[in-house]
Amino acid sequence: MSELPILVTGATGKSGRRVVSQLRAKGLPVRAAARSGEHVFDWTDSGTWDAALEGVRSVYIVQLDGTKLVRPFIERAVRHGVQRIVLASGRGIDSPEYAKDSSGVLEGILDSEAATRESGLEWTISRPGWFAQNFSEGFFADAVRAGELRLPAGDGAASFVDAEDIAAVVVAALTEDRHAGRIYELSGPRAVTLAEAAATISEATGREIRYVPLSVEDYVAELVRQGLPPADAEAFADVIDPLREGKDAYVSDGVQRALGRPPRSFSDFAKSTAAAGGWPV
């Protein structure tokens, strides 16, 4: 499969760009597809799909939340002769008690997984939990740079997974034969509270990062005062709910099963990110 390009959708995102980088480090041809960048691909414009799929045999699918576009995309991929797909999904999505779905994304993700399993292709599903990189380039990054994490997470913990590990699992599934038909739940090696995460980043960066637990009501009110619509503020609070309730504290064996090694720790992530200048003041 290495003679033909591997299509990576969402190629500028946290997992996608790392998948592109790791594939190229192996000397493999990659078609890096996103709305802006090397190869134009837009989930909402099916006219961009054929050019992206032409001549590829393996595809990494990073879906657009809140849509059911993966199913018609896979149907198009089958017509183009694609043989292998790896879907980026989410941890806990098959558990009705895992999280509130006020933003309406769950139905689409479930349909994407069903379409993947029903495709008749070689398929693998990646289900990562909270990305460690949410502290450096995502959900919590601005707060970390400001020195204070103000969140309604209580003393809940999550087994944060390094996006480099997520990408490594995806690359293995795209390039090796033994991953077909497998669902990999991905996590770090142990659960970390936000207080512990803040302390770990403080140690790595040499400056104090504080975690301030808020009530859900206070958190929503703060976001609204910052200009966020109330519905969006409540949706953000809902995202934190599994963390607060400890629902993402369990450790999964997906990295070990896929790669034959343990996942990187949160401390490893913090040290390497700080060394690379990932938290500029």
Side-chain angles (χ1 to χ4, degrees), residues 196-226:
E196 289 174 322
T200 300
I201 296 171
S202 295
E203 183 178 358
T205 60
R207 63 187 186 87
E208 184 182 10
I209 312 298
R210 298 177 60 240
Y211 166 56
V212 180
L214 301 177
S215 69
V216 172
E217 294 76 16
D218 287 345
Y219 177 69
V220 170
E222 281 196 5
L223 293 182
V224 171
R225 285 197 297 271
Q226 293 167 16

Side-chain angles (χ1 to χ4, degrees), residues 6 14 32 38 65 81 91 109 133 150 168 176 182 185 225 227 229 243 268 278:
I6 297 171
K14 283 194 286 290
E38 297 177 24
D65 286 345
R91 199 172 192 222
I109 296 173
Q133 277 73 11
R150 300 174 61 81
E176 300 170 0
R182 297 192 178 185
E185 283 223 357
R225 285 197 297 271
L243 201 161
D268 290 338

Side-chain angles (χ1 to χ4, degrees), residues 32-172:
R35 282 182 295 179
S36 61
E38 297 177 24
H39 191 100
V40 176
F41 175 84
D42 187 341
W43 277 111
T44 62
D45 180 3
S46 60
T48 66
W49 296 3
D50 290 306
L53 289 165
E54 183 65 33
V56 304
R57 293 178 66 185
S58 301
V59 181
Y60 179 42
I61 300 174
V62 180
Q63 57 196 302
L64 180 63
D65 286 345
T67 69
K68 291 185 178 181
L69 296 171
V70 167
R71 186 175 293 275
F73 179 77
I74 289 177
E75 292 170 355
R76 189 86 58 93
V78 170
R79 293 200 294 272
H80 276 274
V82 169
Q83 295 185 7
R84 180 175 294 173
I85 53 177
V86 179
L87 176 71
S89 186
R91 199 172 192 222
I93 66 97
D94 57 348
S95 171
E97 304 302 320
Y98 177 72
K100 299 176 183 177
D101 187 33
S102 59
S103 55
V105 303
L106 181 58
E107 187 177 353
I109 296 173
L110 289 171
D111 187 66
S112 298
E113 284 208 5
T116 297
R117 293 191 299 268
E118 296 162 6
S119 66
L121 305 178
E122 298 175 23
W123 61 265
T124 307
I125 295 173
S126 164
R127 286 182 177 176
W130 281 88
F131 285 43
Q133 277 73 11
N134 279 320
F135 291 90
S136 59
E137 56 190 77
F139 200 46
F140 309 139
D142 289 343
V144 170
R145 293 187 185 97
E148 195 169 79
L149 278 164
R150 300 174 61 81
L151 294 164
D155 58 359
S159 51
F160 297 100
V161 59
D162 195 309
E164 293 291 346
D165 282 344
I166 297 169
V169 170
V170 171
V171 168

